[in-house]
């Protein structure tokens, strides 16, 4: 792939509002022109291109090295933009949008013929979300187009929660990055299919199942998330994702972790442990990462991908991770950890 000069707009701590405005206008103009630009959302950084420009969409797949059977989420800033993208808006979708948009909820609709097949990967449905991050909103409003955006990582790597993560994966491969500081939620949006008889969660994420059930009490989990060996309904969920370079194993009983770590070290491996602030000081290893605090799972979600990337930075070969409660956003945290562990779990 030929090298592309990547521009970085630092709107993060910019005290100069005029400068911030001009930077975002430039980034938005680039998107409108068909260039590919990374930007922060409240979940993770996205890699955005004009969703109605199939050349721009192809460029997104190329930059990430993403398999082309994995469809993209279309991001919008205004409810009116939805009508051109979909053929049908069920009542439950109206209620969910009213309650949770803008926010970390992606809805799957029947797609209109205006959506390029590159975006939907040939499916008859399209995923749409309205992000709440102020920079994402301003960029979307300013560009005036619906923006297709996967997470802004190289395919297979953990999603980026800082502009530095994006830079280390995609510098030289994309036109620009808007640095808006660390994202908040830390795991991707919840993908919810509302095109069938019941709402079905295809991917657990930032909006919890409990929150969805407040509006749609018949919400179900895709069977593939519950039973092993089932093909997931969301194409992206079948790939080994979110993985650090070292080999990760989940350990149900944390009391076993120190012994496992010592054993791996004795065999010459560089060993990492993923825990929380609550037990960080009980472990000795080459690198111990405290992923938030036990009392608040949102702190774990916010730091998870950062932690997985730090194991790489510390050249860790073998990682042992504690497991987390699966209520609330813990469902998304454990879904990502299981995938990152590729099935390695010590019960
Ligand atoms: O929080 C997020 O959702 C972030 C930010 C940037 O918005 N985006 C994100 O995109 O995580 P990506 O491409 O990394 O994940 C999109 C997921 C994939 O698992 C994909 O297969 C699924 O959504 N998806 C997209 N369109 C779909 C469709 N029509 N039917 C089923 N699954 C779909
Ligand atoms: Mg992704």
């Amino acid at each position: 792939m030929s090298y592309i000069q990547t521009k970085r707009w630092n709107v993060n701590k910019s005290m100069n509002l005029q400068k911030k405005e001009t930077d975002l206008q430039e980034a938005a103009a680039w998107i409108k022109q068909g260039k590919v630009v990374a930007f922060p959302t409240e979940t993770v950084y996205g890699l955005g291109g004009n969703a109605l420009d199939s050349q721009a969409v192809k460029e997104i797949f190329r930059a990430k090295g993403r398999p082309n059977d994995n469809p993209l989420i279309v991001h919008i800033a205004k409810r009116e933009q939805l009508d051109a993208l979909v053929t049908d808006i069920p009542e439950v979708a109206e209620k969910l949008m009213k309650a949770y948009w803008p926010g970390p909820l992606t809805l799957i609709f029947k797609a209109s013929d205006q959506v390029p097949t590159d975006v939907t990967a040939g499916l008859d449905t399209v995923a749409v979300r309205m992000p709440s991050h102020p920079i994402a909103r301003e960029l979307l409003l300013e560009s005036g187009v619906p923006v297709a955006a996967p997470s802004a990582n190289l395919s297979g790597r953990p999603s980026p929660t800082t502009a530095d993560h994006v830079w280390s994966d995609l510098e030289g491969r994309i036109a620009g990055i808007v640095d808006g500081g660390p994202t908040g939620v830390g795991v991707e949006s919840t993908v919810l299919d509302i095109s069938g008889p019941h709402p079905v969660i295809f991917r657990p994420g930032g909006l919890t199942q409990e929150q969805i059930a407040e509006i749609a009490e018949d919400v179900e989990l895709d069977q593939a998330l519950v039973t092993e060996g089932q093909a997931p309904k969301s194409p992206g969920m079948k790939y080994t994702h979110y993985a650090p370079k070292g080999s990760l194993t989940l350990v149900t009983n944390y009391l076993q972790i120190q012994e496992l770590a010592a054993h791996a070290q004795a065999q010459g491996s560089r060993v990492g442990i993923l825990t929380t602030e609550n037990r960080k000081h009980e472990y000795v290893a080459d690198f111990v990462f405290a992923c938030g605090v036990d009392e608040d799972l949102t702190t774990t979600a916010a730091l998870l991908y950062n932690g997985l990337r730090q194991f790489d930075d510390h050249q860790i070969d073998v990682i042992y991770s504690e497991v987390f409660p699966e209520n609330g956003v813990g469902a998304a945290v454990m879904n990502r950890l299981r995938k990152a562990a590729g099935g390695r779990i010590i019960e």
Side-chain angles (χ1 to χ4, degrees):
M1 221 185 84
S2 56
Y3 180 86
I4 302 172
Q5 187 78 43
T6 304
K7 177 155 187 172
R8 184 161 172 161
W9 297 276
N10 282 307
V11 302
N12 183 18
K13 290 177 188 126
S14 178
M15 288 298 164
N16 184 338
L17 285 182
Q18 186 55 49
K19 170 87 168 59
K20 185 169 169 177
E21 197 63 30
T22 343
D23 282 352
L24 287 179
Q25 275 166 4
E26 184 177 32
W30 283 20
I31 287 179
K32 205 172 166 185
Q33 288 161 22
K35 290 186 183 163
V36 163
V37 170
F39 61 95
T41 80
E42 72 278 21
T43 56
V44 300
Y45 273 73
L47 182 59
N50 181 351
L52 304 178
D53 175 346
S54 105
Q55 239 10 74
V57 175
K58 286 194 170 75
E59 187 63 22
I60 294 173
F61 280 88
R62 198 186 56 91
K64 283 195 60 151
R66 181 177 176 106
N68 58 14
D69 67 346
N70 191 6
L72 305 180
I73 297 171
V74 178
H75 296 66
I76 58 175
K78 290 190 286 191
R79 168 66 180 75
E80 301 89 89
Q81 290 177 288
L82 182 64
D83 299 324
L85 303 170
V86 307
T87 58
D88 180 42
I89 304 177
E91 206 181 307
V92 65
E94 293 285 8
K95 287 189 191 152
L96 287 162
M97 290 188 288
K98 196 154 174 263
Y100 297 122
W101 274 15
L105 172 66
T106 294
L107 296 173
I108 310 264
F109 297 91
K110 290 270 181 256
S112 81
D113 51 19
Q114 289 202 32
V115 185
T117 52
D118 305 273
V119 172
T120 60
L123 299 176
D124 62 357
T125 52
V126 61
V128 186
R129 110 170 174 91
M130 187 187 287
S132 65
H133 195 293
I135 292 175
R137 286 184 66 75
E138 198 166 331
L139 207 57
L140 289 167
L141 279 174
E142 194 73 48
S143 75
V145 294
V147 171
S151 49
N153 50 285
L154 278 177
S155 206
R157 298 222 62 210
S159 293
T161 53
T162 68
D164 284 342
H165 295 163
V166 181
W167 188 262
S168 87
D169 278 14
L170 298 177
E171 189 266 325
R173 303 171 71 94
I174 61 174
I177 301 177
V178 179
D179 181 350
T183 61
V185 178
V187 291
E188 301 86 341
S189 63
T190 302
V191 177
L192 185 72
D193 178 46
I194 42 82
S195 69
H198 295 283
V200 182
I201 295 177
F202 282 3
R203 177 179 73 180
L207 189 76
T208 66
Q209 181 170 359
E210 294 87 334
Q211 286 172 301
I212 294 170
E214 283 173 27
I215 307 291
E217 57 181 34
D218 59 342
V219 60
E220 290 171 358
L221 274 179
D222 179 10
Q223 271 309 309
L225 297 168
V226 188
T227 324
E228 242 172 83
Q230 289 247 1
K233 298 273 178 12
S234 216
M237 299 297 285
K238 72 172 182 271
Y239 297 105
T240 311
H241 252 102
Y242 320 111
K245 292 178 187 124
S247 132
L248 171 72
T249 302
L250 306 183
V251 185
T252 315
N253 178 1
Y254 77 86
L255 293 171
Q256 296 185 315
I257 288 181
Q258 187 58 62
E259 200 182 319
L260 288 161
H263 186 72
Q265 269 186 327
Q267 297 195 317
S269 293
R270 282 182 58 80
V271 177
I273 293 173
L274 192 143
T275 175
T276 62
E277 292 290 349
N278 306 62
R279 280 170 305 288
K280 183 181 172 177
H281 302 289
E282 295 178 23
Y283 297 115
V284 183
D286 295 291
F287 178 60
V288 180
F289 184 75
C291 202
V293 293
D294 288 347
E295 295 74 20
D296 183 359
L297 276 167
T298 66
T299 61
T300 302
L303 289 172
L304 180 67
Y305 290 140
N306 201 334
L308 293 181
R309 281 176 180 261
Q310 284 197 40
F311 288 112
D312 289 350
D313 298 340
H314 287 84
Q315 281 138 21
I316 297 300
D317 313 302
V318 174
I319 307 159
Y320 292 105
S321 173
E322 295 182 358
V323 297
F324 296 89
E326 300 211 33
N327 58 300
V329 78
V333 169
M334 282 305 293
N335 170 268
R336 306 306 190 270
L337 273 175
R338 279 204 197 89
K339 285 179 147 297
R344 283 178 298 274
I345 179 155
I346 297 175
E347 306 265 5

